[in-house]
Each structure stands twice: as structure tokens, then as C-alpha cells.
Amino acid sequence: MNTLAINGGKPVRDTYLPYAQQWVDEEDVGEVVKVLKSDFLTTGPKIEEFEKRFADYVGAKYAVSISNGTAALHAACFAAGIKEGDEVITSPITFAASANCVLYQGGKPIFADIDPKTYNIDIEDVERKITKKTKAIIPVDFTGQPVDIDGINEIAKKYGLVVIEDAAHSLGAEYKSKKIGSLVDITTFSFHPVKHITTGEGGMITTNDEKLYNKLKLFRTHGITRDKEMLQNKDEGPWFYEQLELGYNYRMTDIQAALGISQLNKINGFLKRRREIAKKYDEYLKNIDGIILPYQESFSKSAWHLYVIQLELEKFKVGRKEIFEALQAENIGVNVHYIPVYYHPYYKRLGYEKGLCPNAEKLYERIITLPLYPKMKDKDIEDVVNVMDKVLKYYRR
């Protein structure tokens, strides 16, 4: 067992442990089957029910279901009025969608550096990056830990900016004892299979602003409305509708909504298990030299979408790549979240260069994501810890 699997030894695990995985049970399947046997497959009663249930859960006035988390961000940028020439500040340590949504509207993403402790966006750098062209801020709740929302909102109010919180990682997280979803202008969520609940693909947008709510609903349905109060021409009859904006077909289906409702019924259990796993990691990994554990602010309660450790590379004979490959060879499905957005070739072609966010760039070189999802057993956690100990001991100076 002391010989690394990558060097020909026996792996600690016989089967591969992924970094994340959905948990769909027979109850979920049953709810989907009911819809498949009903009169509505696309937009029907389950959509309205899911939106109402979700809004109640996060404490928001309005919720708009949508086809995926990226579409949610795109719709949010539309509702916020982002247009060509506008600048929007966001984090570089995120999936590319958090910045791509700005480009979809003709705007320009501006990357603010991260806090080296929390890995969330650095509020002071956000304020430094504000110009006369800045229209909005898209903070990302990285790994499930909420950003300093009061600080973000204060800056937004000072400069007249819209806040779009990317909460793809933080469904069920709390900021100062309040659930994420009603604390900024617009909040977006993702229901991809690796997230806290899943609808296959899908997402949700929440807001307390009725005007934004109406814009979001319009955008997800081709920009078309049947609402008599919104029509700009004479109502010609019961069939009449108008396209008011260039929207998209970003609708969720009743099939997905049925799964989402069933999954939402289990969210508290999912969150409880995620937090148990994170606590066990904290307890076991603190004794392994050479890693920095995730830092948690006192004002937040993370939803623990990801558990990201940082390697103290100066303590090892090899780099992150060699350690990563050795962990995978032991059948531990580690990952890296994320490559800084502006490193991607597309962003380089737009003129972005390395050096924009030194903290983010340094972090990227050192981070590894460990497996974390509710279906994990205690034995799985022990395997991860044992593999970390085995591999890091081997490569330690």
C-alpha cells in the first residue's frame, strides 16, 4: 500500500470515486413519470409550483425557472440592462459562464481579484475597478460560501450598480442567518447534476423586484407576451400576443420541474450531509502537513458545493500536476476549480492577459477539489483522507 498506484502499486480504492454526483431516488423517478403521463410536458402547472416552492424556500418574492444556470445569468444581464459598452465586474475564479453572460449582451467583463482567504471576490478590488462604464457586479459564491453581501450592496448603492449574485454553488447557504436568494437585486441558481439539487439541466432566478421579474419572464420566452397590460398594439382577440424584445427559448419543462420539486423536498438532508462531510474533512486533514484547508467567514454558513484545498507547494518535491495525477491513480476523482476565466484562448483573443488578478493566479496553481456529495459514505471520506496522506507523504520534501 505504500507504493503509489501511479508507480505500479495497488490503488487504495478498487472503484473510482467521482468528485461529485447526483442523488436521484425512486421518489424522484415517480414524480417525473407522473408528468410523462399527464397532459403537460413543457410549460405547465409544475413550473408554477416549482417557482412558488423555490421562492418560499429562499425567501424571495419571485422566482423564474429557466433552462440552465448559464441562461439564468444571461437573462439576469438582460434584465439589468447590460448593453454594448457597459462594464460588469466579476471574479476570475469561476466557470466561464459568469463572464460569458456579459459578452452575450455586448458588455465587457472586468475581473476583480479574489480574497486570498475565502477565494471570493475582493470587495476593495471591486471598488478599484469601477469606472463610468460600470453597470453591474456579478459576485460568485465560490464553493458555496456567500460573498460579503452587505459590502457588495453598499458599493452598488454608492455607484448606482445592479448586483447579480451567481449562487450556482450556494443553494441553501446563509449570510448572517438569511438564506441566499433574496439579498441582492437578482440571484441565479443552477440545477446541473453536480449541484445541490438537480433537474438534469436547469436553473432558477430570484428577485424581489416586480419590474425585473417581468423582464426575466419575457426574456426566457422569445421576448413574447400575452399580458394585456404589456401589449403595445390593440388586442385583436384571445389568440393575440406580441414580441416586445429579442428574447430566447430558455424555458424549463414540467418534466424537469417535477424532478426539481421532488429534489427540493430533500434539500435539507442534502445540505446536512454536505456539511457533515466538510466537517470530517476538516477534522482529518488538519493533521496532514502541506495543505491549507478552506477558510470560513463567521457571518456565513456555506452550502459546501465544493471542498477546495490549497497545496503548500514549497513543501513538496513535485508540482500540483504530479500530485493530482497520483491522487487520480488511487481512484480518487479530484478536480480543479477553476482555471481563471481570462486564461482561456477566447478571452486572450479579446485582449485579456495574465497578471490581471495576482491572488487568483497564485491560487489556481495550488488548488485541488476533493470529492464531496451527499451520496458519499464515511468509508469514501476515509479513503480520500488516506490517499491524501499516502500521496503527500511520498512527495513531501
Side-chain angles (χ1 to χ4, degrees), residues 27-185:
E27 184 180 11
D28 298 323
V29 173
E31 292 301 312
V32 170
V33 171
K34 287 179 187 177
V35 172
L36 290 171
K37 293 180 177 180
S38 76
D39 294 332
F40 293 90
L41 295 184
T42 55
T43 305
K46 284 296 179 183
I47 292 292
E48 186 176 348
E49 181 184 349
F50 187 28
E51 290 173 342
K52 177 67 167 61
R53 289 279 305 278
F54 194 91
D56 288 346
Y57 176 75
V58 302
K61 288 184 180 179
Y62 308 105
V64 178
S65 60
I66 201 156
S67 55
N68 54 65
T70 302
L73 286 163
H74 186 189
C77 285
F78 167 82
I82 306 303
K83 59 186 184 304
E84 187 172 354
D86 289 338
E87 295 179 350
V88 179
I89 300 172
T90 192
S91 170
I93 298 296
T94 183
F95 186 62
S98 306
N100 289 348
C101 59
V102 180
L103 296 174
Y104 297 156
Q105 287 297 112
K108 180 180 180 180
I110 302 295
F111 296 100
D113 210 346
I114 60 166
D115 181 317
K117 288 197 302 183
T118 65
Y119 314 152
N120 275 329
I121 200 165
D122 181 339
I123 292 178
E124 292 182 2
D125 200 40
V126 168
E127 188 161 18
R128 283 192 290 268
K129 299 288 174 68
I130 292 173
T131 71
K132 291 181 179 179
K133 295 181 180 180
T134 307
K135 188 69 175 283
I137 309 169
I138 303 180
V140 179
D141 297 331
F142 181 61
T143 74
Q145 178 172 204
V147 297
D148 183 358
I149 292 173
D150 286 349
I152 291 287
N153 280 339
E154 185 178 335
I155 290 173
K157 184 177 180 181
K158 180 178 177 181
Y159 294 95
L161 309 177
V162 178
V163 179
I164 301 168
E165 184 176 4
D166 183 344
H169 292 187
S170 58
L171 176 58
E174 296 178 13
Y175 175 80
K176 296 184 178 179
S177 301
K178 294 181 180 178
K179 278 195 173 63
I180 295 302
S182 66
L183 306 179
V184 300
D185 298 306

